[in-house]
């Protein structure tokens, strides 16, 4: 008769507590604020603190609004991380405090996908590229200023994948090609886009 000894794993997790093991192998976008590099993944945001040589994560249990993170962007001067989700939710991480903006998620006038595909930041504004158009967000007030929808040639909805700002113009990569509009004109009117 052979006997063996079994030992339980030692850990610092108390009985009844939860520990998450989320997959961060598919990072969708990166953003850097001070000494932290953030990476967006499906179930949350991970970060690497280059000064402390440590890692950490943000997820639904630590205060994020949900899962399905699609893109992150940084407002470096204000030290704000902007997190965009597939359901249209936006989170702002500032000084380890998370503020939520659910207007796009809950607005009944938006039909179909509300996915936030990309966020471009310039000055105090963020421009969220979505499956229904572009959303102009005032970062300081954490509120939506305008929504540019139905930008197609005849006013039809087009999916916007990404945006870029150059001087006073915004360029959109869409399913119908590249569109350009001047930020000094009324971009709510689809006739002002080229």
């Amino acid at each position: 008769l052979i006997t063996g000894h079994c030992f339980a794993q030692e850990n610092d997790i108390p009985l009844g507590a939860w520990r998450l093991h989320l997959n961060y192998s598919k990072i969708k976008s990166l953003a850097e604020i001070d000494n932290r590099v953030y990476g967006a993944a499906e179930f949350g945001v991970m970060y690497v603190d280059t000064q402390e040589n440590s890692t950490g994560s943000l997820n639904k249990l630590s205060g994020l609004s949900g899962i399905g993170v699609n893109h992150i962007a940084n407002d470096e001067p204000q030290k704000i991380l902007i997190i965009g989700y597939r359901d249209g939710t936006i989170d702002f991480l500032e000084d380890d405090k998370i503020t939520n903006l659910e207007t796009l998620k809950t607005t009944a006038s938006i039909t179909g996908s509300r996915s936030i595909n990309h966020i471009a930041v310039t000055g105090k504004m963020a421009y969220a590229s979505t499956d229904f158009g572009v959303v102009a967000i005032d970062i300081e007030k954490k509120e939506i200023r305008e929504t540019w929808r139905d930008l197609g040639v005849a006013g039809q909805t087009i999916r916007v994948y990404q945006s870029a700002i150059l001087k006073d113009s915004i360029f959109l990569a869409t399913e119908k090609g590249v569109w350009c509009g001047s930020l000094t004109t009324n971009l709510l009117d689809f006739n002002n886009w080229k």
Side-chain angles (χ1 to χ4, degrees):
L1 197 53
I2 300 174
T3 61
H5 296 282
C6 295
F7 298 96
Q9 290 180 329
E10 290 186 38
N11 57 37
D12 296 329
I13 303 172
L15 188 62
W18 288 91
R19 174 188 271 179
L20 290 177
H21 296 279
L22 299 175
N23 184 355
Y24 292 105
S25 65
K26 294 183 181 177
I27 299 295
K28 298 177 180 184
S29 65
L30 296 170
E32 182 179 6
I33 297 178
D34 286 337
N35 299 315
R36 281 191 180 175
V37 178
Y38 295 88
E42 177 69 20
F43 297 105
V45 176
M46 69 161 300
Y47 61 86
V48 176
D49 191 314
T50 57
Q51 189 173 26
E52 296 180 7
N53 284 332
S54 63
T55 62
S57 65
L58 304 167
N59 51 57
K60 192 159 173 88
L61 287 179
S62 62
L64 291 185
S65 295
I67 60 173
V69 176
N70 246 11
H71 192 78
I72 58 174
N74 63 335
D75 180 356
E76 183 64 36
Q78 295 186 71
K79 311 276 188 257
I80 298 174
L81 183 71
I82 306 166
I83 305 164
Y85 297 84
R86 277 194 324 254
D87 66 359
T89 302
I90 298 171
D91 281 340
F92 300 91
L93 174 66
E94 182 177 17
D95 297 325
D96 293 326
K97 179 184 170 209
I98 298 171
T99 305
N100 179 256
L101 178 64
E102 287 193 335
T103 307
L104 297 176
K105 179 181 177 180
T106 59
T107 300
S109 64
I110 300 172
T111 59
S113 174
R114 301 159 192 248
S115 180
I116 296 174
N117 303 319
H118 180 263
I119 302 168
V121 176
T122 183
K124 296 180 185 213
M125 293 296 295
Y127 298 94
S129 302
T130 70
D131 282 351
F132 59 86
V134 178
V135 179
I137 303 163
D138 185 318
I139 299 171
E140 216 169 60
K141 295 179 180 177
K142 296 173 183 58
E143 66 184 20
I144 295 173
R145 184 176 291 174
E146 290 182 337
T147 302
W148 306 329
R149 298 175 59 186
D150 307 324
L151 303 176
V153 176
Q156 77 271 21
T157 300
I158 57 173
R159 179 175 288 148
V160 181
Y161 300 115
Q162 192 168 346
S163 63
I165 290 96
L166 179 64
K167 297 182 183 177
D168 68 343
S169 297
I170 185 167
F171 296 85
L172 309 178
T174 75
E175 63 183 341
K176 302 287 185 185
V178 177
W179 293 80
C180 176
S182 173
L183 293 170
T184 59
T185 62
N186 177 14
L187 294 178
L188 295 169
D189 183 356
F190 70 90
N191 291 309
N192 291 330
W193 290 90
K194 297 183 181 0

